[in-house]
Amino acid sequence: MQVKGIPQVPAVDSAALAALADTFRPPRLNFAQVCLYCETRWCEAAACVKAHAASLWAPCDDCDGFGSCSHCLNGVVEVDRVGFVERAARVLPRQREAAALFVAVA
């Protein structure tokens, strides 16, 4: 028995969706050259490359992409297609608002 309904995915131009996905997708290898998926330095595994190419990332809802929370990877989170489409129309702030966790350095 299905408890939750399957959410409708709004129609979005696939080229526009791909462009947005590329905008927010972090590199597969971090600055120390460690893979996000298998945590192996200098990874060249086809499975990791394929998973990364198919992944969708969006700015974190908690910190608006500024990376000031513990729920994201430098301001972005991996999402599914529905979550990505829901966030695609979101207007992101240009600057971080003054917050208790943020201390400006002079």
Side-chain angles (χ1 to χ4, degrees):
M1 177 173 107
Q2 185 175 355
V3 177
K4 286 181 150 183
I6 298 172
Q8 292 288 330
V9 177
V12 175
D13 178 18
S14 61
L17 187 65
L20 270 176
D22 288 342
T23 299
F24 297 122
R25 184 181 294 122
R28 186 176 59 80
L29 302 178
N30 70 13
F31 292 116
Q33 301 303 301
V34 176
C35 179
L36 292 175
Y37 297 94
C38 69
E39 297 184 341
T40 300
R41 194 174 314 274
W42 304 298
C43 168
E44 295 179 8
C48 293
V49 172
K50 183 178 177 180
H52 185 256
S55 67
L56 294 172
W57 294 75
C60 176
D61 288 334
D62 293 335
C63 69
D64 286 328
F66 291 101
S68 58
C69 72
S70 61
H71 304 107
C72 63
L73 175 66
N74 295 323
V76 294
V77 292
E78 191 168 4
V79 295
D80 60 13
R81 181 168 164 53
V82 173
F84 185 79
V85 171
E86 288 173 352
R87 289 172 176 88
R90 185 170 161 225
V91 177
L92 298 170
R94 184 176 174 98
Q95 293 182 318
R96 180 185 354 216
E97 296 297 319
L101 296 175
F102 178 66
V103 178
V105 178

